[in-house]
């Protein structure tokens, strides 16, 4: 279940997609389910009237953890400072 629909925001509930396929999932209403650590893509009825699931590749979040950290923005407080910068300043 996507995070926007109440799914958990954790690596085990994520799969990496290129930009084209990410947009296709949202604009064409595909669904992605994780089964045994692998993504399964369920097409909309406009693509397959029976909505037969299509297996994806093996999800390897541990191999992509560092890359994902680089992509996720650093949290900021209301003053615009990064949270880690504020905590380091408090320690100094």
């Amino acid at each position: 279940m996507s995070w926007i629909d109440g799914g958990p925001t954790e690596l085990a509930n994520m799969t990496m997609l290129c930009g084209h396929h990410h947009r296709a999932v949202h604009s064409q209403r595909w669904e992605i389910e994780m089964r045994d650590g692998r993504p399964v893509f369920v097409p909309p009825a406009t693509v397959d009237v029976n909505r037969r699931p299509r297996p994806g590749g093996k999800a390897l979040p541990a191999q992509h953890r560092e890359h994902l950290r680089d992509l996720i923005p650093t949290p900021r407080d209301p003053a615009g400072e990064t949270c880690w910068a504020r905590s380091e300043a408090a320690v100094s």
Side-chain angles (χ1 to χ4, degrees), residues 29-79:
R29 308 295 291 165
W30 284 71
E31 294 176 13
I32 303 173
E33 301 171 2
M34 297 301 285
R35 296 183 188 168
D36 298 321
R38 293 178 184 252
V40 175
F41 298 89
V42 182
T46 56
V47 173
D48 178 355
V49 293
N50 296 314
R51 303 196 70 217
R52 287 182 290 265
R54 300 169 185 203
K58 182 173 168 95
L60 301 170
Q63 291 182 359
H64 303 291
R65 192 177 314 272
E66 292 303 317
H67 181 66
L68 289 171
R69 283 193 187 123
D70 292 341
L71 294 174
I72 298 171
T74 304
R76 297 184 182 276
D77 68 10

